[in-house]
Amino acid sequence: MRRICLALLVLASACGGKSNTAVTDQGTTLTPKSDAAVVGTFFGFIPITEVIVTDVPNLCGEFSNISPCNSSSSTIPVTSGSMLVVAVISTASGDYKVSDPSAEVTDGGGSFFGAPAAEVEFESFASGAAPVQDVAVSGTVHLDKADVGGSAEGSYDVTMKSGAHLKGDFHGDNCPALSALLTSSTSDSCSDSFGSSTCSRSCTCQGSTVAANCSAPPDGGDYWTCSCTDKTGAHTTCNMTTPVSSSSCDQGESCCPMTF
């Protein structure tokens, strides 16, 4: 009898709540294999619920492989596959209007600081094929529940920019790695200096430091010499064109790799 009761409990748990619906956009079908959710308050006052559904197995594990120290870490780690992103600027159950994100919101009731109260995006990437990228321009997202620091689920009925009609249920389990990426940044742990003959930038994150210290050539030439320190503490040198600001010592404008 105990085994039967336990089996019934497991069955009831499996049947409870919503599951993710397969959807098709522009001929591409997403058959869900994993999901990730983050429910919380950002910047101290903005409530947000975000659920990502994908045909890539173990999405949350993929987020775990990304360093939260890099400013680009919020990029979704799906390079081959499809995903559906449902976002609501709230953690309360209810219906939320989707508006065209490219149009100015003027009704005052369906937005937060000019952003739609809900957004739905569909993206698909495949080797050798053009990516499919679409966004909802009208419709509704219904949030059944959103537990702060926990799971979220609901449904959507939206029209995409391409004209596709997407309708279904979504469910996302809490993904701490996704939350860490959305809330972490090196912007408040960087210091810069800039002068006529020196340029430096140093960033610290989770106990590691990357730095670039550059100086002008004594002969007034066009190329400055930089001393670089990477996240492992290793030192290298390189040359860069004359910087125009302290931000020139950051990655992309300097020869030092300022990434963690």
Side-chain angles (χ1 to χ4, degrees):
M1 178 64 70
R2 180 176 175 81
R3 291 182 179 179
I4 294 176
C5 290
L6 288 174
L8 289 174
L9 286 173
V10 171
L11 181 61
S13 176
C15 294
K18 292 184 179 294
S19 59
N20 290 308
T21 303
V23 293
T24 300
D25 190 338
Q26 302 175 68
T28 299
T29 299
L30 186 165
T31 301
K33 293 183 179 178
S34 68
D35 55 66
V38 56
V39 183
T41 302
F42 293 90
F43 305 112
F45 67 99
I46 301 177
I48 187 169
T49 300
E50 181 171 307
V51 174
I52 304 171
V53 180
T54 182
D55 54 12
V56 175
N58 190 24
L59 177 63
C60 192
E62 295 294 329
F63 280 116
S64 299
N65 295 327
I66 301 176
S67 170
C69 294
N70 295 327
S71 60
S72 60
S73 291
S74 59
T75 302
I76 297 175
V78 177
T79 57
S80 178
S82 302
M83 62 185 175
L84 182 76
V85 182
V86 181
V88 177
I89 306 179
S90 178
T91 57
S93 60
D95 292 323
Y96 295 91
K97 180 182 177 182
V98 174
S99 301
D100 186 345
S102 64
E104 182 180 359
V105 179
T106 58
D107 60 14
S111 65
F112 188 93
F113 289 141
E119 292 185 351
V120 178
E121 296 182 7
F122 181 94
E123 296 187 13
S124 184
F125 305 92
S127 177
V132 175
Q133 297 178 296
D134 212 355
V135 61
V137 294
S138 64
T140 303
V141 172
H142 177 77
L143 199 57
D144 286 332
K145 71 168 188 174
D147 301 323
V148 174
S151 63
E153 63 183 33
S155 59
Y156 52 87
D157 188 346
V158 296
T159 298
M160 309 297 284
K161 186 175 182 179
S162 66
H165 179 210
L166 303 188
K167 183 178 181 179
D169 296 332
F170 66 87
H171 171 93
D173 289 321
N174 179 44
C175 181
L178 174 58
S179 179
L181 292 176
L182 293 176
T183 58
S184 297
S185 172
T186 59
S187 60
D188 59 354
S189 59
C190 294
S191 59
D192 305 272
S193 67
F194 180 72
S196 60
S197 60
T198 61
C199 172
S200 67
R201 180 171 177 82
S202 177
C203 297
T204 301
C205 183
Q206 296 187 344
S208 297
T209 298
V210 293
N213 293 286
C214 308
S215 58
D219 58 3
D222 293 332
Y223 291 92
W224 289 33
T225 299
C226 298
S227 174
C228 314
T229 304
D230 67 18
K231 64 180 181 180
T232 67
H235 299 282
T236 58
T237 59
C238 58
N239 295 321
M240 66 175 290
T241 56
T242 301
V244 296
S245 68
S246 59
S247 64
S248 298
C249 288
D250 202 354
Q251 184 190 26
E253 299 178 51
S254 171
C255 50
C256 293
M258 298 288 291
T259 57
F260 290 93

